[in-house]
Amino acid sequence: MTQLTRRHLFAGAAAAGAVFAGSKTIVSPASAAAPAAGTQNAGWYRYKVGDFEVTVVTDGQGSTPLPDSYVTNTPKDTVAKDLAALFLPNDKAIHTYTPVVINTGSKLVAIDTGLGLGAYAQSKGKLGQYQANLKAAGIDTNNIDVVIISHFHGDHINGLIGPDNKPIFANAEIMVPETEWAFWMDESNVSKLPEPAKGQIKNPARVFGALGDKVTKYQGKKELVPGITSLFTPGHTHGHHSHIVSSGNSTLLVQADVTAGAAMLFVRNPDWQFVFDSDKPLAVETRKKVYDMASADKMIVQGYHLPFPAVGNVEKVGNGYRLVPATWNPSM
Ligand SMILES: [Zn+2]
């Protein structure tokens, strides 16, 4: 094999194109003149866990200039270097939002609900895409039997109600962590919130008030729906829970915000303390426990703030972890 230079490579590609085009010379000048589409395809992805079907639905993506204290125990330039190592812009924090719906065969279960339609309008469609993408995936919110909430930050609960304050999941039982409820329904706890989260203190009362406070509370390790068990994973918030989904020989960990924000940073650097985590040392401890378990047990991991479709396996590398994204499967 001769050594490939860049020039050879492109000449080769052109030759390959000619071969694949076959005997007819296919020239398509029309496609070159077509206007750019400027839109993305519907954002959902589906895979199986045993007999269960998991539909991953993007709620969208936003970014902010990288704050000075995004990681409170690490200098900004170190964080910027790590973003560059991930081939991401080193001056921005990119945030993705990825709820899931699980069809267990007997129940249709949503875990977390996105930023809501208000965010869709405000961001001109960049955020709050959950409802539209659910519809594109063929899921009607009226058919959801259970909504499980991991914690009470707005990006997880605001999608429970519409702009008219009516419930989006009209026929669903809403299950929420008991410790999370107790924390957020007491406004004096605002003093325990990190600075950037303080503004959210009244939001859970607004959202759940619109639902008439009709919720089922759960806590710790509890089977919420056959095959879906909660796991107390505190730190990101006081009452934060993850969920373990089991069917046949397969186990999926729906981690919620065990790593949050630009979550890949905290996969690589589990000791880094995220400005938005309520109890930062506890969040670090939880992160390591959860990922040690997931890597030892070879669990599939679904992460709310990981890059879409936000699913893969986690393995230990040095002092941190590596996410090996699941390979896209074009059939079920
Ligand atoms: Zn979140």
Side-chain angles (χ1 to χ4, degrees):
M1 188 80 197
T2 51
Q3 204 187 350
L4 279 177
T5 63
R6 206 176 148 76
R7 190 172 60 83
H8 279 123
L9 198 61
F10 286 114
V19 171
F20 288 126
S23 54
K24 286 185 211 162
T25 308
I26 298 169
V27 180
S28 180
S31 67
T39 53
Q40 187 53 275
N41 54 299
W44 59 273
Y45 178 65
R46 192 164 278 153
Y47 62 93
K48 291 199 89 167
V49 174
D51 295 330
F52 293 3
E53 211 175 71
V54 180
T55 305
V56 182
V57 183
T58 182
D59 191 44
Q61 175 177 297
S63 72
T64 54
L66 183 64
D68 287 340
S69 59
Y70 192 67
V71 181
T72 55
N73 61 346
T74 305
K76 187 180 181 178
D77 59 342
T78 307
V79 177
K81 270 187 204 141
D82 220 69
L83 287 170
L86 286 160
F87 297 92
L88 291 169
N90 66 0
D91 58 348
K92 286 192 184 96
I94 297 176
H95 297 154
T96 55
Y97 305 87
T98 316
V100 295
V101 174
I102 300 168
N103 187 345
T104 70
S106 58
K107 297 271 183 208
L108 198 55
V109 181
I111 303 185
D112 291 331
T113 66
L115 288 147
L117 292 172
Y120 187 85
Q122 263 175 24
S123 67
K124 298 191 172 68
K126 285 191 172 157
L127 299 169
Q129 298 180 356
Y130 178 65
Q131 311 289 346
N133 285 322
L134 261 188
K135 203 179 263 182
I139 297 172
D140 181 342
T141 49
N142 289 320
N143 293 335
I144 303 262
D145 298 298
V146 180
V147 179
I148 299 173
I149 296 294
S150 65
H151 67 292
F152 282 7
H153 282 153
D155 53 326
H156 298 256
I157 63 170
N158 285 0
L160 281 167
I161 56 173
D164 53 1
N165 282 345
K166 295 255 166 61
I168 292 281
F169 304 90
N171 302 306
E173 179 182 8
I174 313 292
M175 305 185 90
V176 304
E178 192 174 353
T179 40
E180 194 68 357
W181 184 277
F183 182 91
W184 289 93
M185 294 304 163
D186 179 354
E187 273 189 38
S188 71
N189 282 325
V190 70
S191 61
K192 296 178 191 155
L193 288 175
E195 205 52 46
K198 284 191 194 298
Q200 295 207 21
I201 190 67
K202 291 174 196 265
N203 188 51
R206 176 188 72 88
V207 171
F208 292 108
L211 299 174
D213 290 339
K214 262 197 289 174
V215 296
T216 306
K217 292 173 196 163
Y218 69 88
Q219 185 62 33
K221 201 169 186 181
K222 191 162 182 243
E223 189 166 65
L224 306 181
V225 170
I228 305 181
T229 302
S230 55
L231 182 71
F232 188 39
T233 50
H236 178 65
T237 63
H238 200 74
H240 183 274
H241 279 68
S242 305
H243 301 91
I244 294 178
V245 179
S246 300
S247 172
N249 295 324
S250 301
T251 308
L252 165 71
L253 171 74
V254 183
Q255 68 156 48
D257 286 16
V258 163
T259 46
M264 291 298 284
L265 287 175
F266 305 97
V267 174
R268 288 162 59 90
N269 308 284
D271 286 303
W272 283 9
Q273 297 187 356
F274 179 38
V275 65
F276 225 82
D277 286 341
S278 276
D279 183 334
K280 295 174 178 59
L282 184 58
V284 166
E285 190 188 316
T286 291
R287 195 173 295 146
K288 290 178 176 177
K289 264 193 213 162
V290 167
Y291 282 172
D292 283 347
M293 173 187 73
S295 63
D297 296 349
K298 295 194 165 44
M299 290 171 155
I300 314 162
V301 175
Q302 178 75 50
Y304 198 84
H305 296 290
L306 294 174
F308 185 82
V311 58
N313 282 88
V314 169
E315 63 174 8
K316 216 168 171 13
V317 177
N319 294 326
Y321 302 89
R322 183 167 85 100
L323 175 75
V324 182
T327 301
W328 172 277
N329 187 346
S331 52
M332 288 297 290

